[in-house]
Amino acid sequence: MKDRLEGMKNRYEQINQMLSDVSIVSDIKKLKELSKEQRQLEKVVTRYQDLLNAEKELQDLKTLVKDEDLDIREMAQEELEKCLVNIVKIEEELRILLIPKDPNDEKDVIIEIQGAAGGDEANIFAGDLYRMYMKYIESKGWKAELLDAQVSEAGGFSYISFSVAGDSVYSYLKYESGSHRVQRVPATESQGRIHTSTATVLVMPEADEIEVNLDMNDVRIDTFCSSGPGGQSVNTTKSAVRVTHIPSGIVVSCQDAKSQHENKANALKVLQARLYERMLAEKEAKEGQERLSKVGRGDRSEKIRTYNYPQNRVTDHRIGFTIQQLDRVMEGKLDPVIEALIAHDQEQALKGSAE
């Protein structure tokens, strides 16, 4: 581990020097690549320096515990024990930081939410999930942009998609893909019976042009009049765009932007993300792996979480995690759930590296 850490420290120092080079600063692409690598290394290198400092302190304390003065020996022994505990803690943190990262962790994402089983109640729940994610995104200081929405007459959405940009967004939100189940008494239920409905969530890392070479000859673009709220111009102007990728059959529609140009750009962005998601799934299937152990990215058909309103309970079925704070979770307080998933992921990765 020390050799690897030394290599990362040397690379970090090298990048710092390169970033002060005028030829690098003027090359936007190279500057962006190096800055990204610097950010990825910084936390590890900083913690490694803490380890080196702690080890030096330990050597000094080992000298002091042999001092002739009894008071100094006792004080040094007490500090030495604390230092040993600190070193073990730092080493454990470094092992976690050295776990191979998902190459998509730093990326922005596109999220699609759809009402599934349960009719109107499923669409209402899809709207609740959207609101939950918006509050969580706001708490993280990320930026969300609505791409498309099909509003349900009873409330909520039959479908909604939006992009999220920020620091390491995918590393947090990738755990949300899958089927979310709600158990509650719908507002329309006169007998007070609890209904079970579901909504699906798909979180896709945004794809770079290099990763997905989209041939526009394979794409058919149609325009149509937008529907839904927005005034007369929404329904009379052909600003909505439908993009069809002919080889795969993937169809993406966007109508919530003000212009046809914006809707086209958004639709192509979603199309690229879907093609990238498909490419990742095919690659993982070919390699005979489960899709990131279904904790890294739950597939669309998997029931990943239950939101039980009568008991104020949220249960994540992938790791058997339950929290009696549904009201807080629906207000965007998702950290306890996501942190539990991250911790489980790290634990599994550490077990794998130890085998």
Side-chain angles (χ1 to χ4, degrees):
M1 185 170 81
K2 274 287 181 72
D3 289 343
R4 188 176 170 193
L5 289 166
E6 276 295 324
M8 296 173 82
K9 181 172 177 282
N10 292 336
R11 176 59 180 166
Y12 181 73
E13 291 170 353
Q14 181 187 26
I15 290 172
N16 286 339
Q17 291 178 350
M18 292 170 72
L19 287 174
S20 62
D21 188 322
V22 177
S23 63
I24 296 294
V25 174
S26 60
D27 186 339
I28 301 299
K29 185 179 178 182
K30 189 68 176 175
L31 180 66
K32 188 177 178 181
E33 288 174 356
L34 287 173
S35 298
K36 181 179 177 181
E37 188 179 355
Q38 182 197 44
R39 289 195 305 273
Q40 290 171 340
L41 289 170
E42 189 168 24
K43 193 170 183 180
V44 178
V45 172
T46 300
R47 212 62 184 119
Y48 177 47
Q49 189 58 56
D50 291 341
L51 178 63
L52 294 176
N53 294 339
E55 289 177 339
K56 184 180 182 302
E57 181 186 359
L58 181 65
Q59 293 307 314
D60 293 341
L61 289 169
K62 283 181 177 178
T63 301
L64 287 175
V65 293
K66 298 175 183 176
D67 196 274
E68 294 179 359
D69 189 305
L70 177 61
D71 289 340
I72 291 177
R73 288 204 308 271
E74 288 178 348
M75 181 190 69
Q77 182 61 43
E78 186 178 335
E79 291 300 315
L80 186 144
E81 290 170 5
K82 291 180 183 178
C83 188
L84 285 170
V85 170
N86 189 39
I87 287 173
V88 170
K89 179 187 173 186
I90 295 172
E91 287 178 338
E92 185 62 28
E93 288 178 17
L94 282 168
R95 286 191 189 91
I96 291 172
L97 288 171
L98 289 175
I99 294 171
K101 297 289 187 294
D102 184 331
N104 293 311
D105 274 353
E106 300 294 318
K107 291 186 176 181
D108 297 336
V109 303
I110 291 172
I111 300 179
E112 296 181 344
I113 306 174
Q114 296 188 67
D120 288 342
E121 175 64 12
N123 294 337
I124 292 169
F125 179 49
D128 293 339
L129 290 176
Y130 172 67
R131 179 176 173 275
M132 176 186 78
Y133 289 129
M134 286 299 104
K135 286 182 172 292
Y136 180 66
I137 289 162
E138 183 182 359
S139 73
K140 290 292 183 184
W142 298 335
K143 182 182 177 183
E145 180 185 354
L146 182 65
L147 299 176
D148 191 28
Q150 296 170 18
V151 178
S152 170
E153 289 184 6
F157 305 94
S158 58
Y159 171 85
I160 187 166
S161 65
F162 53 99
S163 62
V164 186
D167 186 24
S168 303
V169 174
Y170 187 72
S171 68
Y172 292 90
L173 291 177
K174 64 184 178 183
Y175 300 98
E176 296 307 296
S177 284
S179 181
H180 295 241
R181 180 175 71 174
V182 63
Q183 295 174 327
R184 64 184 176 189
V185 179
T188 55
E189 171 54 58
S190 59
Q191 303 296 319
R193 292 172 297 188
I194 295 172
H195 286 223
T196 298
S197 306
T198 60
T200 60
V201 177
L202 180 62
V203 179
M204 301 175 287
E206 282 199 9
D208 298 330
E209 289 183 13
I210 300 170
E211 293 165 324
V212 177
N213 184 18
L214 184 61
D215 187 345
M216 292 306 293
N217 292 321
D218 292 335
V219 177
R220 187 178 72 243
I221 298 175
D222 302 305
T223 59
F224 58 98
C225 293
S226 300
S227 60
Q232 285 187 328
S233 63
V234 175
N235 297 306
T236 59
T237 306
K238 287 193 173 184
S239 60
V241 173
R242 182 183 300 108
V243 172
T244 304
H245 185 247
I246 297 166
S248 67
I250 294 174
V251 179
V252 178
S253 298
C254 281
Q255 65 174 8
D256 274 68
K258 293 180 180 178
S259 71
Q260 185 184 114
H261 177 74
E262 287 177 289
N263 280 321
K264 178 183 173 183
N266 287 339
L268 288 173
K269 185 163 68 172
V270 174
L271 176 59
Q272 278 192 307
R274 287 194 190 173
L275 288 170
Y276 186 54
E277 178 77 4
R278 176 174 289 195
M279 185 180 76
L280 289 176
E282 288 174 354
K283 179 176 178 290
E284 287 156 10
K286 187 176 180 181
E287 292 172 354
Q289 301 172 351
E290 290 187 26
R291 298 187 73 199
L292 298 181
S293 73
K294 290 190 178 179
V295 175
R297 180 162 56 247
D299 59 36
R300 195 188 287 254
S301 63
E302 180 195 7
K303 181 187 72 181
I304 63 165
R305 194 176 297 153
T306 294
Y307 304 74
N308 185 294
Y309 275 72
Q311 298 178 21
N312 196 36
R313 185 186 75 230
V314 177
T315 298
D316 196 287
H317 303 287
R318 293 164 293 182
I319 57 174
F321 177 83
T322 295
I323 185 171
Q324 304 288 147
Q325 297 179 9
L326 172 62
D327 51 345
R328 288 174 55 80
V329 168
M330 297 310 292
E331 288 299 314
K333 311 294 185 186
L334 266 170
D335 278 328
V337 182
I338 290 177
E339 285 170 5
L341 287 158
I342 291 173
H344 181 271
D345 222 4
Q346 291 172 344
E347 184 183 335
Q348 294 301 111
L350 285 171
K351 284 180 181 177
S353 63
E355 291 174 358

